Amino acid sequence: MGILDGKRILVAGVTMDTSIGFATARVAQEQGATVLISNFGRALNITKRIAKRLPSEPPVLELDVTDPEHLERLPALVREHVDGLDGVVHSIAYGNPETLLGGKFLDGPWEDVAQAVQVSAYSLKSLALACRPLMADGGSVVGLTFDATVAWPAYDWMGVAKAGLESCSRYLARDLGPDGIRVNLVSAGPLKTLAAKAIPGFEELETMWTTRAPLGWDESDQTPTAQAVCALLSDFFPATTGEIVHVDGGFHAMGA
Ligand code: NAP
């Protein structure tokens, strides 16, 4: 018996088997959930191949969270496979690594900043609202952040986008709470994924974590983060919303 037995979960943002979304889909299936995954654009074919590596091959939906038509048709696409959703995972972020990350903070152009904020923060609202009609009996929305309460080396404008995401999750928690929909984030330590590898200077963060996290930190192990996401999707957090759960080996609690 798993903690997600009978739950129907959409995991948005799976490209490779290193994706946090992939690990989340795997753990969710192991815990009894029926899982759908999504991605967009040219990577969709990669996602379809990668989906075969999950314990049970899930349907792969096309969803660009910045495309209003994709958002509008999402409930119909989901209903081709399940009659509703109990949980939605937002595992999505993008910021142009050439202009916004790796020490480019003072030069980041607005057009690229706007794109990063739309894809990485505003889209939590877009995705949650698109899925709202599918969660008539309530549900759980979970997103992924990288602690945006402080400034980091290299993270630059993605840090600003994550601050937006963290705030967005609290306002969504306020407005969707009356529908019985919880909205929470998991704040993960640095993990070796496609998105992370694209950040120039990301190794600096990895080194800080391996030396300072009191529980230690394995940047190649997405499972603890995925387990926390699945716990928040489950019925074990019925009175928790607007929360950020740290899965970072305890790094955030240390002063030095
Ligand atoms: P990832 O595997 O690259 O996942 C990011 C996903 O976002 C990719 O599937 C990407 O698709 C998708 N995406 C980008 N733009 C999109 C759009 N417009 N519409 C729909 N999907 C879009 O990297 P990840 O590290 O697992 O990232 C997942 C989440 O965890 C992100 O929010 C990230 O910021 C967060 N996080 C990561 C770390 C870390 O160290 N890796 C730490 C804390 C939090 P494409 O591959 O096709 O672009």
Side-chain angles (χ1 to χ4, degrees):
M1 172 129 172
I3 62 168
L4 296 177
D5 270 348
K7 301 279 190 207
R8 303 149 300 172
I9 309 283
L10 170 65
V11 182
V14 178
T15 300
M16 304 295 289
D17 54 4
T18 54
S19 295
I20 295 169
F22 181 90
T24 301
R26 175 176 53 75
V27 173
Q29 288 187 340
E30 288 165 358
Q31 291 300 321
T34 299
V35 173
L36 286 68
I37 64 175
S38 73
N39 202 4
F40 82 121
R42 279 181 298 172
L44 199 60
N45 283 330
I46 303 175
T47 304
K48 284 181 180 158
R49 283 204 301 278
I50 291 293
K52 297 184 200 304
R53 298 189 193 168
L54 284 164
S56 161
E57 187 178 340
V60 179
L61 311 185
E62 184 184 25
L63 173 64
D64 177 342
V65 284
T66 66
D67 186 328
E69 284 175 22
H70 285 201
L71 291 161
E72 198 182 323
R73 76 179 185 197
L74 183 62
L77 284 187
V78 169
R79 283 199 176 100
E80 286 175 14
H81 306 280
V82 286
D83 54 3
L85 288 174
D86 303 289
V88 179
V89 180
H90 177 284
S91 191
I92 289 169
Y94 179 76
N96 187 339
E98 311 272 315
T99 58
L100 298 183
L101 308 169
K104 307 274 172 52
F105 185 77
L106 293 179
D107 299 317
W110 166 242
E111 294 71 27
D112 290 359
V113 171
Q115 182 191 29
V117 170
Q118 183 183 13
V119 175
S120 314
Y122 183 80
S123 68
L124 181 69
K125 193 274 306 183
S126 309
L127 180 62
L129 273 208
C131 292
R132 191 186 197 182
L134 296 161
M135 295 190 282
D137 299 325
S140 171
V141 176
V142 184
L144 276 308
T145 189
F146 187 73
D147 186 0
T149 57
V150 292
W152 298 104
Y155 210 50
D156 298 344
W157 282 104
M158 188 50 72
V160 177
K162 287 299 189 194
L165 176 77
E166 293 181 4
S167 182
C168 179
S169 71
R170 290 186 283 268
Y171 280 95
L172 270 178
R174 181 193 70 181
D175 287 356
L176 298 183
D179 291 355
I181 298 174
R182 298 174 284 121
V183 184
N184 295 289
L185 299 179
V186 169
S187 182
L191 291 164
K192 280 193 195 304
T193 64
L194 264 192
K197 282 182 191 155
I199 303 175
F202 196 73
E203 326 70 59
E204 207 182 320
L205 294 173
E206 290 172 350
T207 310
M208 284 161 57
W209 245 262
T210 37
T211 51
R212 280 178 41 192
L215 290 175
W217 184 250
D218 180 352
E219 68 270 9
S220 301
D221 186 4
Q222 276 71 320
T223 301
T225 301
Q227 286 172 320
V229 172
C230 287
L232 286 166
L233 290 169
S234 80
D235 293 333
F236 282 86
F237 281 94
T240 299
T241 196
E243 187 57 277
I244 301 178
V245 176
H246 291 84
V247 180
D248 63 352
F251 185 101
H252 73 282
M254 300 298 111

